[in-house]
Amino acid sequence: MLAATRMLALDGPAGSGKTSLAHAVATVLSQRGNSVHILSLDDMYEGWTGLNPALETRVVQQVLQPLRRGKTAHWQAYDWQSGALRDWRDLTAKDVLVLEGCGAGARRYAPYTTLLVWVEAAAAVRVERAVARDGPQVLEHWADWAAAETRSFGTNDTRSRAELVVRT
């Protein structure tokens, strides 16, 4: 747990619908009177090779540990245009933190996670969504990113640890 904040982790392969689900859940929770913050790991990966243990360390140190202590998290965002970590951002405690993105279900986050959800979709659908969202240039990185996902999901045993599986 994160002090008074509950954390919903949405994990699954690229293009599976994690971001859309995060926004839908946040809307419902907000309508029910909860304060919600969505933190997308897309803003924290250090580029196309950023799904790695260094990301997990940054998330724990910059976000999860401060929130657990009831403090404001101060995390560094990645600038995809310049290819470097840039702006520092604050994240204040809310009723619910939705951590979404590939790797959100890392074992290192388990002590902070209230609910882990695995989101999946057919491979062709995922590619179509990724190209629609990021443009056709995403395809030049697709195979390498998929390999990083496979390593992360295998190391963390993410799908089998999830309390809920959502197919989009």
Side-chain angles (χ1 to χ4, degrees):
M1 288 290 289
L2 301 170
T5 299
R6 292 160 288 164
M7 186 172 90
L8 168 62
L10 301 177
D11 204 343
S16 60
K18 297 175 299 296
T19 302
S20 296
L21 181 58
H23 288 283
V25 167
T27 297
V28 170
L29 290 172
S30 295
Q31 289 170 345
R32 294 183 179 178
N34 296 283
S35 60
V36 181
H37 185 94
I38 298 172
L39 178 57
S40 175
L41 289 178
D42 286 353
D43 295 331
M44 294 189 77
Y45 303 128
E46 290 186 66
W48 290 104
T49 59
L51 180 57
N52 58 42
L55 168 71
E56 294 176 16
T57 298
R58 286 180 47 235
V59 170
V60 169
Q61 291 177 349
Q62 296 177 7
V63 179
L64 302 178
Q65 287 177 345
L67 291 177
R68 175 177 263 177
R69 293 189 307 266
K71 306 281 187 194
T72 296
H74 190 64
W75 61 277
Q76 194 168 22
Y78 183 78
D79 181 345
W80 287 83
Q81 299 300 327
S82 68
L85 290 168
R86 292 282 185 218
D87 299 334
W88 285 89
R89 299 180 183 173
D90 289 337
L91 190 159
T92 57
K94 302 285 185 186
D95 295 325
V96 179
L97 170 64
V98 180
L99 181 66
E100 71 87 12
C102 299
R107 284 186 196 275
R108 288 183 69 187
Y109 309 155
Y112 310 93
T113 303
T114 306
L115 178 66
L116 171 58
V117 177
W118 175 263
V119 184
E120 62 187 22
V125 171
R126 295 187 306 100
V127 170
E128 181 181 311
R129 289 175 179 167
V131 169
R133 179 188 63 213
D134 299 323
Q137 68 276 5
V138 74
L139 296 177
E140 67 189 74
H141 304 285
W142 193 258
D144 290 337
W145 183 259
E149 288 177 340
T150 299
R151 281 190 303 276
S152 176
F153 301 150
T155 299
N156 291 292
D157 197 24
T158 315
R159 190 180 192 282
S160 67
R161 290 180 33 251
E163 288 98 349
L164 179 64
V165 174
V166 175
R167 185 156 180 87
T168 63

Coordinates of all heavy atoms in Angstrom, one line a residue, residues 9-104:
A9 N -2.3 -1.3 -10.9 CA -1.3 -1.5 -11.9 C -1.9 -2.2 -13.1 O -2.5 -3.3 -13.0 CB -0.2 -2.4 -11.4
L10 N -1.8 -1.6 -14.3 CA -2.3 -2.1 -15.6 C -1.1 -2.5 -16.4 O -0.4 -1.6 -16.9 CB -3.2 -1.1 -16.3 CG -4.4 -0.6 -15.5 CD1 -5.2 0.5 -16.3 CD2 -5.4 -1.7 -15.2
D11 N -0.9 -3.7 -16.7 CA 0.2 -4.2 -17.4 C -0.3 -5.0 -18.6 O -1.4 -5.5 -18.6 CB 1.2 -5.0 -16.5 CG 2.6 -5.1 -17.0 OD1 2.8 -4.7 -18.2 OD2 3.5 -5.4 -16.2
G12 N 0.6 -5.2 -19.6 CA 0.3 -6.0 -20.7 C 1.1 -5.5 -21.9 O 1.8 -4.5 -21.8
P13 N 1.1 -6.2 -23.0 CA 1.9 -5.8 -24.2 C 1.5 -4.5 -24.8 O 0.3 -4.1 -24.6 CB 1.8 -7.0 -25.1 CG 0.7 -7.8 -24.6 CD 0.4 -7.5 -23.2
A14 N 2.4 -3.9 -25.5 CA 2.1 -2.7 -26.2 C 0.9 -2.8 -27.1 O 0.7 -3.8 -27.8 CB 3.3 -2.2 -27.1
G15 N 0.0 -1.8 -27.1 CA -1.2 -1.8 -27.9 C -2.3 -2.6 -27.4 O -3.4 -2.7 -28.1
S16 N -2.2 -3.1 -26.2 CA -3.3 -4.0 -25.7 C -4.5 -3.2 -25.1 O -5.5 -3.8 -24.9 CB -2.7 -4.9 -24.6 OG -2.2 -4.2 -23.5
G17 N -4.3 -1.9 -24.9 CA -5.4 -1.1 -24.4 C -5.3 -0.6 -22.9 O -6.3 -0.2 -22.3
K18 N -4.1 -0.6 -22.4 CA -3.8 -0.2 -21.0 C -4.2 1.2 -20.8 O -4.8 1.6 -19.8 CB -2.4 -0.5 -20.6 CG -1.9 -1.9 -20.7 CD -0.5 -2.1 -20.4 CE 0.4 -1.4 -21.4 NZ 0.3 -1.9 -22.8
T19 N -3.8 2.1 -21.7 CA -4.0 3.5 -21.5 C -5.5 3.8 -21.6 O -6.0 4.6 -20.8 CB -3.2 4.3 -22.6 OG1 -1.8 4.1 -22.4 CG2 -3.5 5.8 -22.4
S20 N -6.2 3.3 -22.5 CA -7.6 3.5 -22.7 C -8.4 3.0 -21.4 O -9.3 3.6 -20.9 CB -8.2 2.8 -23.9 OG -7.6 3.3 -25.1
L21 N -8.0 1.8 -20.9 CA -8.6 1.2 -19.7 C -8.3 2.1 -18.5 O -9.2 2.4 -17.7 CB -8.1 -0.2 -19.5 CG -8.7 -0.9 -18.3 CD1 -10.2 -1.0 -18.3 CD2 -8.1 -2.3 -18.1
A22 N -7.1 2.6 -18.4 CA -6.7 3.5 -17.3 C -7.6 4.8 -17.3 O -8.1 5.1 -16.2 CB -5.3 4.0 -17.4
H23 N -7.9 5.3 -18.4 CA -8.7 6.5 -18.5 C -10.2 6.2 -18.2 O -10.9 7.0 -17.5 CB -8.6 7.3 -19.8 CG -7.2 8.0 -19.9 ND1 -7.0 9.1 -19.3 CD2 -6.1 7.6 -20.6 CE1 -5.7 9.5 -19.6 NE2 -5.2 8.6 -20.3
A24 N -10.6 5.1 -18.6 CA -12.0 4.6 -18.4 C -12.2 4.4 -16.9 O -13.2 4.8 -16.3 CB -12.4 3.4 -19.2
V25 N -11.2 3.7 -16.3 CA -11.3 3.4 -14.8 C -11.2 4.7 -14.0 O -12.0 4.9 -13.1 CB -10.2 2.4 -14.4 CG1 -10.0 2.4 -12.9 CG2 -10.4 1.1 -15.0
A26 N -10.4 5.6 -14.4 CA -10.2 6.9 -13.7 C -11.5 7.7 -13.8 O -11.9 8.3 -12.8 CB -9.1 7.7 -14.3
T27 N -12.2 7.7 -14.9 CA -13.4 8.4 -15.1 C -14.5 7.8 -14.1 O -15.1 8.6 -13.4 CB -13.9 8.3 -16.5 OG1 -13.0 9.0 -17.4 CG2 -15.3 8.9 -16.7
V28 N -14.6 6.5 -14.1 CA -15.6 5.9 -13.2 C -15.3 6.2 -11.7 O -16.2 6.6 -10.9 CB -15.7 4.4 -13.4 CG1 -16.5 3.7 -12.4 CG2 -16.3 4.1 -14.8
L29 N -14.0 6.0 -11.4 CA -13.6 6.3 -10.0 C -13.8 7.7 -9.6 O -14.3 8.0 -8.5 CB -12.2 5.9 -9.7 CG -11.9 4.4 -9.8 CD1 -10.4 4.1 -9.7 CD2 -12.6 3.7 -8.6
S30 N -13.5 8.7 -10.5 CA -13.7 10.1 -10.2 C -15.2 10.4 -10.0 O -15.6 11.2 -9.2 CB -13.2 10.9 -11.3 OG -11.8 10.8 -11.4
Q31 N -16.1 9.8 -10.9 CA -17.5 10.0 -10.8 C -18.0 9.5 -9.4 O -19.1 9.9 -9.0 CB -18.2 9.3 -11.9 CG -18.0 10.0 -13.3 CD -18.5 9.1 -14.4 OE1 -18.8 8.0 -14.3 NE2 -18.6 9.8 -15.6
R32 N -17.3 8.6 -8.8 CA -17.7 8.0 -7.5 C -17.0 8.7 -6.4 O -17.1 8.3 -5.2 CB -17.4 6.5 -7.5 CG -18.3 5.8 -8.5 CD -18.1 4.3 -8.4 NE -19.0 3.7 -9.3 CZ -19.0 2.4 -9.6 NH1 -18.3 1.6 -8.9 NH2 -19.9 1.9 -10.5
G33 N -16.4 9.9 -6.7 CA -15.9 10.7 -5.6 C -14.4 10.5 -5.2 O -13.9 11.0 -4.2
N34 N -13.7 9.6 -6.0 CA -12.3 9.4 -5.7 C -11.4 10.3 -6.5 O -11.7 10.7 -7.6 CB -12.0 7.9 -6.1 CG -12.7 6.9 -5.3 OD1 -12.4 6.6 -4.2 ND2 -13.8 6.3 -5.9
S35 N -10.3 10.7 -5.8 CA -9.3 11.5 -6.6 C -8.3 10.4 -7.2 O -8.0 9.5 -6.5 CB -8.5 12.4 -5.6 OG -7.9 11.7 -4.6
V36 N -8.0 10.6 -8.5 CA -7.3 9.6 -9.2 C -6.1 10.3 -10.0 O -6.3 11.4 -10.5 CB -8.2 8.9 -10.2 CG1 -7.4 7.9 -11.0 CG2 -9.4 8.3 -9.5
H37 N -5.0 9.7 -10.0 CA -3.9 10.2 -10.8 C -3.4 9.0 -11.7 O -3.2 7.9 -11.2 CB -2.7 10.6 -10.0 CG -1.6 11.2 -10.8 ND1 -1.5 12.6 -11.1 CD2 -0.6 10.7 -11.5 CE1 -0.5 12.8 -11.9 NE2 0.1 11.7 -12.1
I38 N -3.3 9.2 -13.0 CA -2.8 8.2 -13.9 C -1.3 8.5 -14.1 O -1.0 9.7 -14.5 CB -3.5 8.2 -15.2 CG1 -5.0 7.8 -15.0 CG2 -2.8 7.2 -16.2 CD1 -5.8 8.0 -16.3
L39 N -0.4 7.6 -13.9 CA 1.0 7.7 -14.2 C 1.3 6.7 -15.3 O 1.2 5.5 -15.1 CB 1.9 7.5 -13.0 CG 3.4 7.5 -13.3 CD1 3.8 8.9 -13.9 CD2 4.2 7.3 -12.0
S40 N 1.6 7.2 -16.5 CA 1.9 6.3 -17.6 C 3.4 6.1 -17.7 O 4.2 7.0 -17.7 CB 1.5 7.0 -18.9 OG 1.9 6.2 -20.0
L41 N 3.8 4.8 -17.7 CA 5.2 4.5 -17.8 C 5.8 5.0 -19.1 O 7.1 5.2 -19.2 CB 5.5 3.0 -17.6 CG 5.2 2.5 -16.2 CD1 5.4 1.0 -16.1 CD2 6.1 3.2 -15.2
D42 N 5.0 5.3 -20.1 CA 5.5 5.8 -21.4 C 6.3 7.1 -21.1 O 7.2 7.5 -21.8 CB 4.4 6.2 -22.3 CG 3.8 4.9 -23.0 OD1 4.4 3.8 -22.8 OD2 2.8 5.1 -23.7
D43 N 5.9 7.8 -20.0 CA 6.6 9.1 -19.7 C 7.9 8.8 -18.9 O 8.6 9.8 -18.6 CB 5.6 9.9 -18.8 CG 4.4 10.4 -19.6 OD1 4.6 10.6 -20.9 OD2 3.4 10.6 -19.0
M44 N 8.1 7.6 -18.5 CA 9.3 7.3 -17.7 C 10.4 6.4 -18.4 O 11.5 6.4 -18.0 CB 8.9 6.7 -16.4 CG 8.1 7.6 -15.5 SD 7.8 7.0 -13.8 CE 9.4 7.2 -13.0
Y45 N 9.9 5.6 -19.4 CA 10.9 4.8 -20.1 C 12.0 5.7 -20.7 O 11.7 6.7 -21.2 CB 10.3 4.1 -21.3 CG 9.1 3.2 -21.0 CD1 7.9 3.3 -21.8 CD2 9.1 2.2 -20.1 CE1 6.8 2.5 -21.5 CE2 8.0 1.4 -19.9 CZ 6.9 1.5 -20.6 OH 5.8 0.7 -20.4
E46 N 13.2 5.2 -20.6 CA 14.3 6.0 -21.2 C 14.4 5.4 -22.7 O 15.4 4.7 -23.0 CB 15.6 5.8 -20.4 CG 15.6 6.5 -19.1 CD 16.9 6.5 -18.4 OE1 17.9 7.1 -18.9 OE2 17.0 5.9 -17.4
G47 N 13.5 5.8 -23.5 CA 13.5 5.4 -24.9 C 13.1 4.0 -25.1 O 12.5 3.3 -24.2
W48 N 13.4 3.5 -26.3 CA 12.9 2.1 -26.7 C 13.6 1.0 -25.9 O 13.2 -0.1 -26.0 CB 13.1 2.0 -28.2 CG 12.2 2.8 -28.9 CD1 12.4 4.0 -29.6 CD2 10.8 2.6 -29.1 NE1 11.3 4.5 -30.2 CE2 10.3 3.7 -29.9 CE3 9.9 1.6 -28.7 CZ2 8.9 3.8 -30.2 CZ3 8.5 1.7 -29.0 CH2 8.1 2.8 -29.8
T49 N 14.7 1.3 -25.2 CA 15.3 0.3 -24.4 C 15.1 0.5 -22.9 O 15.7 -0.1 -22.0 CB 16.9 0.4 -24.6 OG1 17.4 1.6 -24.2 CG2 17.2 0.1 -26.1
G50 N 14.1 1.3 -22.6 CA 13.8 1.7 -21.2 C 13.0 0.8 -20.3 O 12.7 1.1 -19.2
L51 N 12.5 -0.3 -20.9 CA 11.8 -1.3 -20.1 C 12.8 -2.2 -19.5 O 13.2 -3.3 -20.0 CB 10.8 -2.1 -20.9 CG 9.9 -3.1 -20.2 CD1 9.2 -2.5 -19.0 CD2 9.0 -3.8 -21.2
N52 N 13.3 -1.9 -18.3 CA 14.5 -2.6 -17.7 C 14.5 -2.4 -16.2 O 13.7 -1.6 -15.6 CB 15.8 -2.1 -18.3 CG 16.0 -0.6 -18.2 OD1 15.7 0.0 -17.1 ND2 16.4 0.0 -19.2
P53 N 15.4 -3.0 -15.5 CA 15.5 -2.9 -14.0 C 15.7 -1.4 -13.6 O 15.3 -1.1 -12.5 CB 16.6 -3.8 -13.6 CG 16.6 -4.9 -14.7 CD 16.2 -4.1 -15.9
A54 N 16.4 -0.6 -14.4 CA 16.7 0.8 -14.0 C 15.4 1.5 -13.9 O 15.2 2.4 -13.0 CB 17.6 1.4 -15.0
L55 N 14.4 1.2 -14.8 CA 13.1 1.9 -14.7 C 12.4 1.5 -13.4 O 11.9 2.4 -12.7 CB 12.2 1.4 -15.9 CG 10.7 1.8 -15.7 CD1 10.5 3.3 -15.9 CD2 9.9 1.0 -16.7
E56 N 12.5 0.2 -13.0 CA 11.9 -0.2 -11.8 C 12.5 0.5 -10.6 O 11.7 0.9 -9.7 CB 12.0 -1.7 -11.6 CG 11.3 -2.5 -12.7 CD 11.5 -4.0 -12.5 OE1 12.0 -4.5 -11.5 OE2 11.2 -4.7 -13.5
T57 N 13.8 0.7 -10.6 CA 14.4 1.4 -9.5 C 13.9 2.9 -9.4 O 13.6 3.4 -8.3 CB 15.9 1.4 -9.6 OG1 16.4 0.0 -9.6 CG2 16.6 2.2 -8.6
R58 N 13.8 3.5 -10.6 CA 13.4 4.9 -10.6 C 11.9 5.0 -10.1 O 11.6 5.9 -9.4 CB 13.5 5.5 -12.0 CG 14.9 5.8 -12.4 CD 15.1 6.4 -13.8 NE 14.1 7.4 -14.1 CZ 13.3 7.4 -15.1 NH1 13.3 6.4 -16.0 NH2 12.5 8.4 -15.3
V59 N 11.0 4.1 -10.6 CA 9.6 4.1 -10.1 C 9.5 3.9 -8.6 O 8.8 4.7 -7.9 CB 8.8 3.1 -10.9 CG1 7.4 2.9 -10.3 CG2 8.7 3.4 -12.4
V60 N 10.3 3.0 -8.1 CA 10.2 2.7 -6.6 C 10.8 3.9 -5.9 O 10.1 4.4 -5.0 CB 11.0 1.5 -6.3 CG1 11.2 1.3 -4.8 CG2 10.3 0.2 -6.8
Q61 N 11.9 4.4 -6.3 CA 12.6 5.5 -5.5 C 11.9 6.9 -5.7 O 11.7 7.6 -4.7 CB 14.0 5.6 -5.9 CG 14.9 4.5 -5.4 CD 16.3 4.6 -5.9 OE1 16.7 5.4 -6.7 NE2 17.1 3.7 -5.3
Q62 N 11.5 7.2 -6.9 CA 10.9 8.5 -7.2 C 9.4 8.6 -7.0 O 8.9 9.7 -6.7 CB 11.2 8.9 -8.6 CG 12.7 9.1 -8.9 CD 13.0 9.4 -10.4 OE1 12.1 9.6 -11.2 NE2 14.3 9.4 -10.7
V63 N 8.7 7.5 -7.1 CA 7.2 7.5 -7.0 C 6.7 6.7 -5.8 O 6.0 7.3 -4.9 CB 6.6 7.0 -8.3 CG1 5.1 7.1 -8.2 CG2 7.0 7.9 -9.5
L64 N 7.0 5.5 -5.7 CA 6.3 4.6 -4.8 C 6.7 4.8 -3.3 O 5.9 4.9 -2.4 CB 6.4 3.1 -5.2 CG 5.9 2.8 -6.6 CD1 6.1 1.4 -7.0 CD2 4.4 3.2 -6.8
Q65 N 8.0 4.9 -3.1 CA 8.5 5.1 -1.7 C 8.0 6.4 -1.1 O 7.5 6.5 0.0 CB 10.0 5.0 -1.6 CG 10.5 3.6 -1.8 CD 12.0 3.4 -1.8 OE1 12.7 4.4 -1.9 NE2 12.5 2.2 -1.6
P66 N 8.1 7.5 -1.9 CA 7.6 8.8 -1.3 C 6.1 8.7 -1.0 O 5.6 9.2 0.0 CB 7.9 9.9 -2.4 CG 9.0 9.3 -3.2 CD 8.8 7.8 -3.1
L67 N 5.3 8.2 -1.9 CA 3.9 8.0 -1.7 C 3.6 7.2 -0.5 O 2.7 7.5 0.3 CB 3.1 7.5 -2.9 CG 3.1 8.5 -4.1 CD1 2.4 7.8 -5.3 CD2 2.4 9.8 -3.8
R68 N 4.3 6.1 -0.3 CA 4.1 5.2 0.8 C 4.4 6.0 2.1 O 3.7 5.8 3.1 CB 5.1 4.0 0.8 CG 5.0 3.2 2.1 CD 5.8 2.0 2.0 NE 4.9 0.9 1.6 CZ 5.3 -0.4 1.4 NH1 6.6 -0.7 1.5 NH2 4.5 -1.3 1.0
R69 N 5.3 7.0 2.1 CA 5.6 7.8 3.3 C 4.6 9.0 3.4 O 4.8 9.8 4.3 CB 7.0 8.3 3.3 CG 8.1 7.2 3.4 CD 9.5 7.7 3.6 NE 9.9 8.7 2.5 CZ 10.5 8.3 1.4 NH1 10.9 7.1 1.2 NH2 10.9 9.3 0.6
G70 N 3.6 9.1 2.5 CA 2.7 10.2 2.5 C 3.2 11.5 2.0 O 2.7 12.5 2.2
K71 N 4.3 11.4 1.3 CA 5.0 12.5 0.7 C 4.6 12.7 -0.8 O 4.1 11.8 -1.4 CB 6.5 12.4 0.8 CG 7.1 12.1 2.1 CD 7.1 13.3 2.9 CE 7.8 13.0 4.3 NZ 7.7 14.1 5.2
T72 N 4.9 13.9 -1.3 CA 4.7 14.1 -2.8 C 5.9 13.4 -3.5 O 7.0 13.5 -3.1 CB 4.8 15.6 -3.1 OG1 3.7 16.2 -2.4 CG2 4.7 15.9 -4.5
A73 N 5.5 12.7 -4.5 CA 6.5 12.0 -5.4 C 7.1 13.1 -6.3 O 6.4 14.0 -6.8 CB 5.9 10.9 -6.2
H74 N 8.3 12.9 -6.6 CA 9.0 13.9 -7.5 C 9.8 13.0 -8.5 O 10.8 12.4 -8.1 CB 10.0 14.7 -6.7 CG 10.6 15.9 -7.4 ND1 9.9 16.9 -7.9 CD2 11.9 16.1 -7.6 CE1 10.7 17.8 -8.4 NE2 11.9 17.3 -8.3
W75 N 9.3 12.9 -9.7 CA 9.8 11.9 -10.7 C 10.3 12.6 -12.0 O 9.8 13.7 -12.3 CB 8.8 10.8 -11.0 CG 7.5 11.3 -11.6 CD1 6.5 11.7 -10.9 CD2 7.2 11.3 -13.0 NE1 5.5 12.0 -11.8 CE2 5.9 11.8 -13.1 CE3 7.9 10.9 -14.1 CZ2 5.3 12.0 -14.3 CZ3 7.2 11.1 -15.3 CH2 5.9 11.6 -15.4
Q76 N 11.2 12.0 -12.6 CA 11.8 12.6 -13.8 C 11.2 12.0 -15.1 O 11.2 10.7 -15.2 CB 13.3 12.4 -13.8 CG 14.0 13.3 -14.8 CD 15.5 13.4 -14.6 OE1 16.1 12.5 -14.1 NE2 16.1 14.4 -15.2
A77 N 10.7 12.8 -15.9 CA 10.1 12.4 -17.2 C 11.1 12.3 -18.3 O 12.1 13.0 -18.3 CB 9.0 13.4 -17.6
Y78 N 10.9 11.4 -19.2 CA 11.7 11.2 -20.4 C 11.1 12.0 -21.5 O 10.0 12.0 -21.8 CB 11.8 9.7 -20.8 CG 12.7 9.4 -21.9 CD1 14.1 9.4 -21.7 CD2 12.2 9.2 -23.2 CE1 14.9 9.1 -22.8 CE2 13.0 8.9 -24.3 CZ 14.4 8.9 -24.1 OH 15.2 8.6 -25.1
D79 N 12.0 12.7 -22.2 CA 11.6 13.5 -23.4 C 12.0 12.7 -24.6 O 13.2 12.6 -25.0 CB 12.4 14.9 -23.4 CG 12.0 15.8 -24.5 OD1 11.4 15.3 -25.5 OD2 12.3 16.9 -24.5
W80 N 11.0 12.2 -25.3 CA 11.2 11.3 -26.4 C 11.8 12.1 -27.6 O 12.5 11.5 -28.5 CB 9.9 10.7 -26.9 CG 9.5 9.6 -25.9 CD1 8.8 9.7 -24.8 CD2 9.8 8.2 -26.1 NE1 8.7 8.5 -24.1 CE2 9.2 7.5 -24.9 CE3 10.4 7.4 -27.0 CZ2 9.3 6.1 -24.8 CZ3 10.5 6.1 -26.9 CH2 10.0 5.4 -25.7
Q81 N 11.6 13.4 -27.7 CA 12.1 14.3 -28.8 C 13.6 14.4 -28.6 O 14.4 14.3 -29.6 CB 11.5 15.6 -28.8 CG 10.0 15.6 -29.1 CD 9.6 14.9 -30.4 OE1 10.3 15.1 -31.4 NE2 8.5 14.2 -30.4
S82 N 14.1 14.7 -27.4 CA 15.5 14.9 -27.2 C 16.3 13.7 -26.9 O 17.5 13.6 -26.9 CB 15.7 16.0 -26.1 OG 15.4 15.4 -24.8
G83 N 15.5 12.6 -26.5 CA 16.2 11.4 -26.1 C 16.9 11.4 -24.8 O 17.9 10.7 -24.6
A84 N 16.3 12.2 -23.8 CA 17.0 12.3 -22.5 C 15.9 12.5 -21.4 O 14.8 13.0 -21.7 CB 18.0 13.4 -22.5
L85 N 16.3 12.1 -20.2 CA 15.5 12.5 -19.1 C 15.6 14.0 -18.9 O 16.6 14.6 -19.0 CB 16.0 11.8 -17.8 CG 15.8 10.3 -17.7 CD1 16.6 9.7 -16.6 CD2 14.4 9.9 -17.6
R86 N 14.4 14.6 -18.7 CA 14.4 16.1 -18.6 C 13.6 16.6 -17.4 O 14.2 16.5 -16.3 CB 13.7 16.6 -19.9 CG 14.5 16.4 -21.1 CD 15.6 17.5 -21.2 NE 16.2 17.3 -22.5 CZ 17.5 17.4 -22.7 NH1 18.3 17.8 -21.7 NH2 18.0 17.3 -23.9
D87 N 12.4 17.0 -17.6 CA 11.6 17.6 -16.5 C 11.3 16.8 -15.3 O 11.1 15.6 -15.5 CB 10.3 18.1 -17.1 CG 10.4 19.1 -18.2 OD1 11.4 19.8 -18.3 OD2 9.5 19.2 -19.1
W88 N 11.4 17.4 -14.2 CA 10.9 16.7 -12.9 C 9.5 17.1 -12.7 O 9.1 18.3 -12.9 CB 11.8 17.2 -11.8 CG 13.1 16.6 -11.8 CD1 14.3 17.0 -12.4 CD2 13.5 15.3 -11.2 NE1 15.3 16.2 -12.2 CE2 14.9 15.1 -11.5 CE3 12.8 14.4 -10.5 CZ2 15.6 14.0 -11.1 CZ3 13.5 13.3 -10.0 CH2 14.9 13.1 -10.3
R89 N 8.7 16.2 -12.3 CA 7.3 16.4 -12.1 C 6.9 15.9 -10.7 O 7.5 15.0 -10.2 CB 6.4 15.6 -13.2 CG 6.8 16.1 -14.6 CD 6.0 15.3 -15.6 NE 6.4 15.7 -16.9 CZ 5.9 15.2 -18.0 NH1 5.1 14.2 -18.0 NH2 6.3 15.6 -19.2
D90 N 5.9 16.6 -10.2 CA 5.4 16.2 -8.9 C 4.1 15.4 -9.0 O 3.3 15.6 -9.9 CB 5.1 17.4 -8.0 CG 6.3 18.2 -7.6 OD1 7.4 17.5 -7.5 OD2 6.2 19.4 -7.3
L91 N 3.9 14.5 -8.1 CA 2.7 13.6 -8.1 C 2.3 13.6 -6.6 O 3.0 13.0 -5.8 CB 3.0 12.2 -8.6 CG 1.9 11.3 -8.8 CD1 2.3 10.2 -9.8 CD2 1.3 10.7 -7.6
T92 N 1.2 14.2 -6.3 CA 0.7 14.2 -4.9 C -0.2 13.0 -4.7 O -0.8 12.5 -5.6 CB -0.1 15.5 -4.6 OG1 -1.2 15.7 -5.6 CG2 0.8 16.8 -4.7
A93 N -0.3 12.6 -3.5 CA -1.1 11.5 -3.1 C -2.6 11.7 -3.5 O -3.1 12.8 -3.3 CB -1.0 11.2 -1.6
K94 N -3.2 10.7 -4.0 CA -4.6 10.7 -4.4 C -5.2 9.5 -3.7 O -4.5 8.7 -3.2 CB -4.8 10.7 -5.9 CG -4.1 11.8 -6.6 CD -4.9 13.1 -6.5 CE -4.3 14.2 -7.4 NZ -4.9 15.4 -7.2
D95 N -6.5 9.3 -3.9 CA -7.1 8.1 -3.4 C -6.6 6.9 -4.2 O -6.4 5.8 -3.6 CB -8.7 8.2 -3.6 CG -9.3 9.2 -2.7 OD1 -8.8 9.4 -1.6 OD2 -10.3 9.9 -3.1
V96 N -6.5 7.1 -5.5 CA -6.0 6.0 -6.4 C -4.9 6.5 -7.3 O -5.1 7.5 -7.9 CB -7.2 5.4 -7.2 CG1 -6.7 4.3 -8.1 CG2 -8.3 4.9 -6.3
L97 N -3.9 5.7 -7.4 CA -2.8 5.9 -8.4 C -3.0 4.7 -9.4 O -3.0 3.6 -9.0 CB -1.4 5.8 -7.8 CG -0.3 5.7 -8.8 CD1 -0.2 7.0 -9.7 CD2 1.0 5.5 -8.1
V98 N -3.2 5.1 -10.7 CA -3.3 4.1 -11.8 C -1.9 4.1 -12.4 O -1.6 5.1 -13.1 CB -4.4 4.4 -12.8 CG1 -4.4 3.3 -13.9 CG2 -5.8 4.4 -12.1
L99 N -1.1 3.1 -12.3 CA 0.2 3.0 -12.9 C -0.1 2.1 -14.1 O -0.4 0.9 -14.0 CB 1.2 2.3 -12.0 CG 2.6 2.2 -12.5 CD1 3.2 3.5 -12.8 CD2 3.4 1.3 -11.6
E100 N 0.1 2.7 -15.3 CA -0.2 1.9 -16.5 C 1.0 1.9 -17.5 O 1.7 2.9 -17.6 CB -1.4 2.5 -17.2 CG -1.3 3.8 -17.9 CD -0.9 3.7 -19.3 OE1 -0.8 2.7 -19.9 OE2 -0.5 4.8 -19.8
G101 N 1.2 0.8 -18.1 CA 2.3 0.7 -19.1 C 2.9 -0.7 -19.0 O 2.8 -1.4 -18.0
C102 N 3.7 -1.0 -20.0 CA 4.4 -2.3 -20.0 C 5.4 -2.3 -18.8 O 6.2 -1.3 -18.7 CB 5.2 -2.5 -21.3 SG 4.1 -2.5 -22.8
G103 N 5.3 -3.2 -18.0 CA 6.2 -3.3 -16.8 C 5.5 -2.8 -15.5 O 6.1 -2.9 -14.5
A104 N 4.3 -2.3 -15.6 CA 3.6 -1.8 -14.4 C 3.4 -2.9 -13.4 O 3.1 -2.6 -12.2 CB 2.3 -1.2 -14.8

